[in-house]
Amino acid sequence: MSRQLELIATAPMGLEAVVARELKDLGYTDTKVENGRVTFTGDLIDICRCNLWLRTSDRVLIKMGEFTARTFDELFEGTKALPWQDWIPVHGEFPVEGRSHKSQLSSVPASQGIVKKAIVEKLKESYHTEWFQENGPRYVIEVILLNDVALLTLDTTGPALHKRGYRKLITEAPLKETMAAALILLSRWNQNPARPFYDPCCGSGTLPIEAAMIGWNIAPGLRRSFNSENWQAIPKELWQDARDEAIDSVRDDIPLNIGGSDIDPKAIEVAQAAAKSAGLAKELTFQTLPAARIQLQGDYGCMITNPPYGERIGEEKEIRRLISQFGRISVEYPTWSFFAITPTKQFEHDFGRKADKRRKLFNGRIECQYLQFLGPLPPRH
């Protein structure tokens, strides 16, 4: 199957432009940015490459089709007309997920059932059988109904792309790996990864680990597997070629100056375990330390952090004190740039200066500002 495919890289709200820039850097020039997704064209090898390389996207989907569906009949016929047999083998498992917004077909379970039935009918015609055991590889289908238009996709990823494979201990991380990567890419630290990098509220180490992976050009999906690796339609050698390319692209000769600290010693233990699992234990420095005792190493660095939000009564004073401490650090280290993702309205007041740039982002469901206090750029040599 060498025909061009319409692919979709899904994006968390507010990060569509970051995902589009990533795709452009990977060589995809025909991107179309929409709410929550970036559409582009590619071949089978591009499914492999994008799953391995995209740092800020959640999933890579194949766009199977899009059509008007105001009735169940229209949904059934439109779904049945699509080439499901090109992808799903006779033993494939094909669960259907769904969403509906501003559409006459508002019942998601009913719409899922119609899509499933239509695909079964199509596969019956292709495989001349009445029964599908569904005991093979997974082909997760999603139907999205928006303004009476049905979009049907096939998920090539499996567990979302923020699951990099280096975090063995399960912790409630306040920042997904995809968002952490986006904050780093938006800071432009990656344009000169020899610059110092520090996170004073590092928690389980997500920001420093993602920074090291970006600094060394390590593909974020290199340590995990994907649903479509088991698909008959994608030859195994394409996956092997994409992985070989990713391994050859690692630049582990770049010296890194990346560290993080946190007041919670248990969080630091988790961070060190994750860094070790990612093969970066020797490159990252983690320590249990309050913000008041931080000593930054080097000039022209980036401090990027996701400070605590203070959801409990009595925490607000502590957090405001922490933010003012960050402000003092910025005065003490005038060549550094400081970045924080926060829902805290008085952050700039407590920090002691207005942000040079701000960007609205959603950390999970929490509306935040990504505040950027920019220092001077390193001198060009």
Side-chain angles (χ1 to χ4, degrees), residues 190-254:
N190 57 302
Q191 293 182 351
N192 184 355
R195 288 172 75 183
F197 180 103
Y198 198 85
D199 177 5
C201 304
C202 73
S204 56
T206 307
L207 275 160
I209 293 169
E210 290 295 317
M213 290 174 71
I214 290 168
W216 274 5
N217 202 40
I218 298 170
L222 206 46
R223 289 177 175 267
R224 56 160 289 177
S225 58
F226 304 92
N227 275 4
S228 52
E229 282 185 81
N230 299 311
W231 292 5
Q232 290 179 10
I234 304 179
K236 294 269 189 242
E237 56 265 28
L238 292 186
W239 275 105
Q240 193 56 55
D241 289 348
R243 286 188 179 277
D244 288 345
E245 178 198 21
I247 291 165
D248 290 344
S249 300
V250 174
R251 298 199 306 262
D252 56 6
D253 55 338
I254 295 172

Side-chain angles (χ1 to χ4, degrees), residues 24 26 41 45 68 84 102 109 128 151 154 164 179-180 188 210 246-247 252 258 263 282 287 299 333 370-372 377:
K24 190 178 176 185
L26 288 170
T41 55
I45 185 70
T68 301
W84 300 104
K102 295 182 179 175
H128 309 292
L151 169 67
L154 196 53
R164 312 289 206 215
M179 177 60 79
R188 301 298 178 97
E210 290 295 317
I247 291 165
D252 56 6
I258 298 175
I263 203 161
K282 292 177 182 174
Q287 51 188 335
D299 295 319
Y333 297 90
Y370 186 39
L371 302 174
Q372 306 176 44
L377 289 171

